[in-house]
Amino acid sequence: MQRIVIIGSGQGGQQAAASLRQEGFSGEILMLGEEPGLPYQRPPLSKAYMANGDAGALLLKPAAFYERSAIMLRDGVRVTAIDRAARAVLTGDGARHAYDHLILATGARNARPPIPGLDAPGVVGLRSLADAERIRRRLAATRQAVVVGGGFIGLEFAAMARAAGVGVTVVEATPRLMARAVSPEMAAHFLDLHRAMGTELLLGVQAAGVLTGAAGHAAGVALADGREVAGDLVLMATGVRPNAELAEAAGLACANGILVDATLATADPAISALGDVAAFPGPLGAPLRLESVQAAVDHARHVARRLVHGDGRPYAAVPWFWSDQGKAKLQIAGLLSGADHSLALPQPDAAPVVLLFRQGRLAAVETVNAPGIHMAARRLIGAPQDSLRAHGYDLRAAVKAVSAA
Amino acid sequence: MKITFVAADGTRTQVQAREGDSVMHTAVQNDVDGIIGECGGSMMCATCHCYVDDGWTEAVGGQEEGESDLLDCAASEVRPTSRLSCQIRMRAELDGIVIHLPESQL
Ligand SMILES: Cc1cc2nc3c(=O)[nH]c(=O)nc-3n(C[C@H](O)[C@H](O)[C@H](O)COP(=O)(O)OP(=O)(O)OC[C@H]3O[C@@H](n4cnc5c(N)ncnc54)[C@H](O)[C@@H]3O)c2cc1C
Ligand code: FES
């Protein structure tokens, strides 16, 4: 293999390039990324960056890394088509790049719900550094913000905005916060936390449109039940859609993401996909798409091992995720989907530890500000419930027992 | 202020650090091999494991809560001087600190 082309220079694309070199790949690596500049981390965009505005601190690696690793990065370049027959990609600037292997790491973009007014000035999304810069500039002059969507990014932003003295209303269509990704017990805990921060949270009600005021600027959000919420900044945080169109146009199978097998290869052996855009076989059999640093990084390492050493093992890394909301660091190990039983262990003066089980085995664990329990949980995913009960559900004790055995 | 990193093979690299930045962050931004910092300092990965030089352990101070549980998951041997470098923030007393890097982080 002479030349590997990576589309997308985000968390997963960058890791793929780095891991290929770590594993000893000596051919050419070309990374084509639509965003300007060096690959950076997105998680701080809704966290520390909102407070400190330090864009330099976001870089995954400095420029020197790409030079010494002979990783060619073309930034500000959009790939417009994949010519699978000729094994080449076409870019917006008219260039054509041949590949022996192609890695699709195109990530995801913000979803746009079908409601009027989203183009009004003052309506923002948060996915890229450019988005975050725009929001930070506006935030200084904002008195009241409306967040549409009570998921991780909306709530992280809400906490940062409150800390900056901005009034915040969160509008969430489902009856609870972070409904797709956390247990009802943990969602209830975070509802209390955000209320205590002074955020107004409206649950179970849809946004019907953006209200505009003077000169067409956003002035708030109209709700489906007829109420109106005022705000001069409207953050749309209603989830993402995978950037799979390029693959789809090239005839690769897609269904909520680019479908890959357990080794993260598409049906075309010369093309792999990873990160937010990849739908891979999950533990329940159905295709699974994760939106996390862990998945992007572990996928990338997995693909690199396959390409360099021919390692054909199935991908099976334990998922983990975090979200910082105010002083609360939520950490999740494992996957909630398919859980049939949960156990909320109250902790003195702190958030509960929530254990979720699927068919008698540990499927996921949610903790807040308890990194030790989280790390133990990561090693116990899949353990039978009985073995944990035997330790009074003290996960750290259970891990010690396992490693001693 | 400055930090000297000593790789497992003995190679020394001195870099400039900013007050308030973590040792992990300083290493990553200066392209020092041997510290990964996958979780960006969120105490979730233990890929920022380091050994504080014996002469500096007192100035650095003890571990943060939960740190030892993470270090249990570190790839290389844990020693009494082991720390998560994302939890060490640079301040005047740490100017010139020497940090030893483990064999591997994964
Ligand atoms: C505000 C925010 C906060 C987050 N917080 C957390 C967190 O706390 N914890 C966590 O685990 N995860 C978090 N995430 C998610 C995490 O950042 C993503 O899961 C991760 O970035 C996915 O990596 P990726 O490489 O798949 O996609 P991305 O990082 O999105 O990179 C994809 C890149 O591909 C480029 N691209 C797309 N199409 C083309 C094309 N045709 N040609 C060229 N380039 C193209 C895009 O412009 C983009 O730069 C957060 C995300 C956001 C936005
Ligand atoms: S950077 Fe992840 S624990 Fe320190």
Side-chain angles (χ1 to χ4, degrees), chain A residues 25-51:
Chain A
F25 178 67
S26 57
E28 270 178 62
I29 300 176
L30 172 64
M31 193 160 39
L32 302 166
E34 190 174 8
E35 287 185 72
L38 296 173
Y40 61 90
Q41 313 171 49
R42 294 183 203 282
L45 295 179
S46 48
K47 307 179 182 80
Y49 176 82
M50 274 298 145

Side-chain angles (χ1 to χ4, degrees), chain B residues 29-106:
Chain B
Q29 296 303 320
N30 285 283
D31 200 19
V32 173
D33 249 345
I35 292 215
I36 298 179
E38 186 170 318
C39 75
S42 293
M43 284 256 264
M44 291 197 81
C45 70
T47 64
C48 63
H49 179 199
C50 72
Y51 307 113
V52 175
D53 187 82
D54 288 336
W56 289 90
T57 47
E58 207 154 306
V60 169
Q63 296 182 350
E64 298 294 319
E65 204 182 324
E67 222 179 299
S68 71
D69 294 289
L70 263 94
L71 287 167
D72 280 347
C73 305
S76 294
E77 176 204 357
V78 177
R79 302 178 197 155
T81 55
S82 284
R83 287 293 311 266
L84 294 177
S85 60
C86 68
Q87 300 303 313
I88 306 175
R89 300 236 159 242
M90 288 305 288
R91 48 199 156 80
E93 308 89 89
L94 298 184
D95 189 3
I97 189 173
V98 178
I99 297 286
H100 299 265
L101 301 170
E103 201 85 41
S104 86
Q105 298 281 10
L106 293 174

Side-chain angles (χ1 to χ4, degrees), chain A residues 54 68 301 378 396, chain B residues 18 29 31 38 44 69:
Chain A
D54 187 353
R68 81 173 159 95
R301 290 189 182 127
R378 262 153 69 178
R396 292 196 280 189
Chain B
R18 284 192 314 187
Q29 296 303 320
D31 200 19
E38 186 170 318
M44 291 197 81
D69 294 289

Side-chain angles (χ1 to χ4, degrees), chain A residues 31 184 195-196 199 208 217 362 375 377 402:
Chain A
M31 193 160 39
R195 289 210 164 119
T199 299
H217 193 279
L362 187 65
M375 289 310 273
V402 172

Side-chain angles (χ1 to χ4, degrees), chain A residues 174-396:
Chain A
T174 71
R176 62 184 166 93
L177 299 176
M178 304 175 281
R180 280 189 310 145
V182 312
S183 67
E185 293 89 340
M186 197 50 89
H189 177 77
F190 274 84
L191 182 62
D192 290 344
L193 275 182
H194 283 280
R195 289 210 164 119
M197 287 180 226
T199 299
E200 187 184 6
L201 297 111
L202 306 176
L203 303 180
V205 59
Q206 283 193 337
V210 171
L211 301 165
T212 49
H217 193 279
V221 171
L223 305 182
D225 62 9
R227 280 182 290 173
E228 292 188 348
V229 185
D232 33 3
L233 181 81
V234 176
L235 174 69
M236 296 303 299
T238 53
V240 300
R241 298 283 170 271
N243 290 322
E245 290 76 8
L246 205 53
E248 200 158 21
L252 295 168
C254 296
N256 180 30
I258 304 170
L259 291 168
V260 292
D261 66 15
T263 71
L264 309 177
T266 67
D268 181 337
I271 305 181
S272 304
L274 56 81
D276 280 14
V277 78
F280 62 100
L284 301 178
L288 174 67
R289 206 172 57 72
L290 295 176
E291 295 152 13
S292 71
V293 167
Q294 174 276 325
V297 168
D298 283 340
H299 282 174
R301 290 189 182 127
H302 199 83
V303 168
R305 280 192 296 267
R306 168 162 54 80
L307 295 181
V308 179
H309 307 296
D311 186 339
R313 270 177 293 182
Y315 174 83
V318 170
W320 50 267
F321 185 81
W322 77 96
S323 173
D324 300 347
Q325 301 174 28
K327 291 194 179 68
K329 266 176 174 305
L330 169 66
Q331 300 188 321
I332 305 173
L335 282 179
L336 271 76
S337 46
D340 48 35
H341 174 60
S342 77
L343 204 62
L345 310 171
Q347 310 288 312
D349 303 319
V353 170
V354 183
L355 310 185
L356 294 116
F357 296 91
R358 184 169 52 240
Q359 295 172 354
R361 288 179 180 274
L362 187 65
V365 176
E366 301 166 335
T367 54
V368 179
N369 298 343
I373 301 177
H374 169 80
M375 289 310 273
R378 262 153 69 178
R379 299 205 266 173
L380 290 169
I381 297 300
Q385 182 168 355
D386 298 340
S387 69
L388 303 177
R389 192 183 296 119
H391 291 280
Y393 294 107
D394 179 339
L395 300 188
R396 292 196 280 189

